[in-house]
């Protein structure tokens, strides 16, 4: 009987707050990715444009665009429905891949 009780909506809970917080978190993630991409461009321009640096910077910018696309899709989904659907595993994997790869590119630029 416990799973059925867990499925019932709590009348005191406002379901609209969680999607709003999630949208704000995705916006912060996008902002963080933007800062990483801008810092990558700055590192290449001020550190001397080596071939490896330009490639890492370009890859970082492409990954930022991928992250931007995934976050835009999720924010749009959260805003479109009052009860949003679960995040697709392939989109979650793409977001993680873009984030981790951007960190690797940033580390390659610094080292």
């Amino acid at each position: 009987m416990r799973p059925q009780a867990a499925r019932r909506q709590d009348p005191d809970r406002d379901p609209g707050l969680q999607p709003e917080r999630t949208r704000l978190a995705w916006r912060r993630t996008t902002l963080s990715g933007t800062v990483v991409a801008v810092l990558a461009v700055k590192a290449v321009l001020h550190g001397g444009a080596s071939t490896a640096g330009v490639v890492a910077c370009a890859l970082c910018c492409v990954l930022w665009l991928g992250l931007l696309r995934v976050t835009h899709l999720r924010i749009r989904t959260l805003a479109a429905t009052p009860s949003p659907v679960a995040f697709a595993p392939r989109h979650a994997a793409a977001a993680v891949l873009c984030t981790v790869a951007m960190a690797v590119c940033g580390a390659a630029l610094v080292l």
Side-chain angles (χ1 to χ4, degrees), residues 3 16 18 47 60-61 79 82-83 106:
Q18 183 61 45
C60 190
C61 289
S83 179

Side-chain angles (χ1 to χ4, degrees), residues 15-51:
L17 294 178
Q18 183 61 45
E20 178 66 23
R21 286 191 302 265
T22 305
R23 277 195 305 273
L24 291 172
W26 278 109
R27 289 181 195 270
R28 286 189 305 268
T29 302
T30 303
L31 180 62
S32 299
T34 303
V35 169
V36 170
V38 168
L39 289 175
V41 170
K42 181 183 178 216
V44 168
L45 293 177
H46 289 293
S50 68
T51 304

Side-chain angles (χ1 to χ4, degrees), residues 25-103:
W26 278 109
R27 289 181 195 270
R28 286 189 305 268
T29 302
T30 303
L31 180 62
S32 299
T34 303
V35 169
V36 170
V38 168
L39 289 175
V41 170
K42 181 183 178 216
V44 168
L45 293 177
H46 289 293
S50 68
T51 304
V54 170
V55 168
C57 180
L59 183 58
C60 190
C61 289
V62 168
L63 291 166
W64 172 72
L65 289 173
L67 181 64
L68 191 65
R69 176 73 177 148
V70 171
T71 56
H72 178 70
L73 287 173
R74 188 60 183 163
I75 288 170
R76 200 171 63 192
T77 301
L78 289 170
T81 60
S83 179
V85 296
F87 196 35
R90 66 185 177 107
H91 290 143
V96 169
L97 175 69
C98 288
T99 304
V100 171
M102 283 176 67

